[in-house]
Structure formats: C-alpha cells, structure tokens
Amino acid sequence: MKFLKETNWNEVFSGWREREADDPGWKKVATQVKGWRDWESWRKNTASQLGAEKRKWQIFELTDPLNEIPAMLVGPYAGWQSRLPKKNEMTFEDLANIPEQRKFFKNHSRVASMMKNFPSPTEMIGLVRQDNEKIICVEGHHRATAVAIAKKENQMINFHVPVRIALAKISASELSLLDKMLERGSAAP
C-alpha cells in the first residue's frame, strides 16, 4: 500500500455519496429496507457510530489489490457478519473460503457483475486496527467479496487503474464500537 495524501471525512463521505447516493438499489435499501428518509441519513448514521468525522483520514493506493483486498476484515454490519462463524474477526478471504457463501455471492448480481467488470476507478473506506494493523472494511463489501472470490478461484480481475482506499485508525480501546454497531444494526430507530 502506498500513501497518497491527507484528507478529511467530508471529502471521504463525498466520494461515498458519489458512488452510491444516486444508485436506485442503494436508495431502496436506505429507505425501504432500512427505514431511513434517504441514503445520506442512513450512511451518516454508520459514520457517526464509528466517529468518522473525528478521525484523521488518509488516502492510499493499493499496490497488490488481489491480496490486500481479500485480507480486509468484514465490517460490522449484521447482513455481512451473519454469514460468518466469528463476528468482527474474519476477512473476505475467510468468507470466500466458506463454500455456501462463495456459491451465494457468485450468483449475487452485484458481485458477479463486479467480478466480470470491476468498477474503475474505485475507492473504498476502511479503518486500520492499531492492535494488529488489519483493515476493517467500512465501505466496499461487494467489491471486496468479488475480489476474494476471484482470487479463490484463480480468476483474473482487471482493476484498470489503481484501487484507492481512505483509511483512518481505530485504537484497541475503541474496538467495542464494532460490537455496538453490529448489535445496533443500521436500520432507522
């Protein structure tokens, strides 16, 4: 991974908004599935639970995305963590190594599409655990799953241009935020 620049949460969130806010599928999840008034309210709730606006953010370029992305930890979201035997501890590579999960996601329209035509350019969002230096995926789960499955099955992914990731640190004393976030879920109150 190569450091590119310092940034701030407003810029990181702006990129997230550009990637998702106008997508009809994400709008539907935010409003009809999760019960929020709009996409922005839903995603700002996630950011708030992680204290994103108070963190120091940096942009990096992944130098070995086929290995770096599957090594990321699956983020603290109920829909994703429910697919794993250990909560908030497992990677996308672990997910791809579970046969029923690999089969499910290979047939998932969004993931299957990304395996064939990876979004480019792309930027993900993550938190670096200071206790073990592992990256927790905050945004980019479908892309990470696509890469992990492709790697598992020796399938090539054409990244077209370097993949970027916005990262901030999370201390060991803050890791309980992940469990609280998982317990709370992302539905509107």
Side-chain angles (χ1 to χ4, degrees):
M1 197 168 8
K2 179 172 79 173
F3 171 77
L4 295 179
K5 66 178 185 172
E6 302 285 338
T7 189
N8 59 55
W9 178 246
N10 286 338
E11 288 181 17
V12 173
F13 190 76
S14 177
W16 195 358
R17 183 186 302 113
E18 287 174 26
R19 289 187 294 278
E20 281 190 5
D22 292 330
D23 181 310
W26 287 124
K27 283 182 180 180
K28 181 179 179 181
V29 170
T31 58
Q32 295 176 27
V33 177
K34 299 297 184 174
W36 293 95
R37 73 176 178 274
D38 55 26
W39 176 91
E40 190 140 335
S41 302
W42 175 46
R43 292 309 200 188
K44 281 188 172 179
N45 173 66
T46 296
S48 174
Q49 290 183 71
L50 294 171
E53 62 285 343
K54 296 176 186 143
R55 297 186 188 281
K56 179 182 171 191
W57 290 91
Q58 299 176 314
I59 304 292
F60 290 84
E61 180 180 292
L62 299 180
T63 52
D64 185 11
L66 193 61
N67 289 306
E68 290 166 314
I69 292 173
M72 290 181 194
L73 296 167
V74 176
Y77 305 105
W80 288 93
Q81 292 292 334
S82 68
R83 299 177 172 283
L84 298 165
K86 294 181 193 167
K87 307 306 176 220
N88 287 330
E89 293 181 28
M90 301 185 80
T91 65
F92 288 95
E93 186 169 10
D94 295 329
L95 180 70
N97 283 331
I98 300 170
E100 59 270 21
Q101 298 304 330
R102 188 169 62 253
K103 180 180 178 185
F104 173 82
F105 282 110
K106 278 180 65 173
N107 293 311
H108 186 283
S109 61
R110 191 176 294 264
V111 172
S113 170
M114 290 175 178
M115 288 175 70
K116 290 180 185 136
N117 189 20
F118 196 77
S120 180
T122 198
E123 185 172 294
M124 302 168 84
I125 302 172
L127 292 171
V128 180
R129 287 180 54 152
Q130 288 184 290
D131 62 334
N132 62 16
E133 295 300 312
K134 290 186 179 183
I135 295 171
I136 303 160
C137 186
V138 172
E139 185 263 336
H141 283 69
H142 291 92
R143 287 169 282 165
T145 302
V147 173
I149 292 172
K151 179 184 175 189
K152 172 74 177 169
E153 299 194 344
N154 296 313
Q155 180 181 327
M156 178 155 157
I157 291 264
N158 187 344
F159 294 103
H160 303 288
V161 297
V163 175
R164 292 181 170 195
I165 187 166
L167 293 174
K169 294 181 178 176
I170 185 168
S171 68
S173 64
E174 295 177 291
L175 292 176
S176 63
L177 290 175
L178 304 175
D179 295 327
K180 288 176 186 167
M181 190 172 163
L182 182 58
E183 185 180 314
R184 190 238 175 260
S186 64

